[in-house]
Amino acid sequence: MKKILFSVVAVAILFFMEGCQSMRNFTYFQDIDSLNLASSKGLPETKIMPNDELTIIVKTSNPEASEPFNLFSNGQSFNNGNNNITGYLVDNDGTINFPVLGRIHVGGMTRPQVEDTIAVMLKPYLSAKEKPVVICRLKSFRVTMIGELGSKVLDVPDEKINIVEAIAQSGDLSMYGKRTNILLVREDSTGQKHIHRYDMTKGQIFNDPYYYLKQNDIVYVQPTKQKTVQSSTGQWTTLWITVLGWATTVASLVLTILK
């Protein structure tokens, strides 16, 4: 009787340990209560890169004064009620071709820096009383999400997104997504690719220097071994293997009890 009781308790402990291990694999930010998040302070700063597309609007108190510096489709202007603004594609050398002002180097700049630079360059073309307002926006801020959370390209109009938001907008990871080894591929201004890996089960993600994503980042969630096995052998084969494994375990337990 004692042997039977001992065997039942042992099996129960194994089930409990397996359940705890499963929870650890699925739970996000497990150690966050014990972390110092002081180093997480800071906001992202998006810098313009080659092949980015910008929208730049120049506004003045006299609409006619700013009209030569704005590009609109069909040759129209604000005065004609047209808000379809033509974008500026940043060349590989980091420059754009701006009306009247010519080529302007914007690569490596932030949006406020571009706005200030163009505002200064406009002064010789405007009356002294004019104080032009330049508005620059990045049209092409996109993040690609693939793997065990679906395949999506996220448009980020406010140019600010972190890895947690990106995963949430993609519908979260599936049960087969490997949360401990999420891959980030990032391309710099020279075209060089860099990789980084996230462990979403750790609260340290909030201190990660790659916490905020940048334009054109690629995030890949790889499948767990269980998903890989299911894909290669099929769900029914996996089920039978699981059943056979448990049957073998039970048979061994029974033989142990009968001895």
Side-chain angles (χ1 to χ4, degrees), residues 43-60:
L43 297 174
E45 187 178 54
T46 301
K47 294 187 177 181
I48 296 169
M49 297 174 56
N51 299 317
D52 281 344
E53 186 178 2
L54 309 177
T55 56
I56 302 175
I57 302 174
V58 178
K59 293 185 177 182
T60 54

Side-chain angles (χ1 to χ4, degrees), residues 155-255:
D155 287 309
V156 188
D158 59 359
E159 304 168 23
K160 177 185 175 184
I161 189 170
N162 59 56
I163 181 62
V164 179
E165 290 175 315
I167 289 175
Q169 289 187 29
S170 301
D172 203 356
L173 280 65
S174 74
M175 64 179 296
Y176 298 112
K178 195 170 185 179
R179 288 156 172 78
T180 58
N181 193 22
I182 297 176
L183 174 66
L184 169 71
V185 180
R186 176 171 294 172
E187 182 177 301
D188 63 23
S189 59
T190 67
Q192 178 65 50
K193 312 297 187 298
H194 304 271
I195 64 171
H196 181 72
R197 301 208 179 247
Y198 301 104
D199 184 350
M200 300 302 297
T201 66
K202 305 296 183 183
Q204 188 63 30
I205 187 72
F206 295 102
N207 288 328
D208 196 312
Y210 290 82
Y211 175 69
Y212 286 104
L213 301 178
K214 294 187 177 181
Q215 66 267 45
N216 306 317
D217 277 355
I218 299 173
V219 177
Y220 169 61
V221 179
Q222 69 183 83
T224 59
K225 290 182 179 179
Q226 183 181 4
K227 175 63 178 292
T228 304
V229 170
Q230 285 190 358
S231 298
S232 59
T233 63
Q235 294 185 353
W236 284 108
T237 303
T238 303
L239 177 61
W240 280 113
I241 291 175
T242 303
V243 171
L244 181 60
W246 279 111
T248 303
T249 302
V250 172
S252 300
L253 182 59
V254 172
L255 289 174

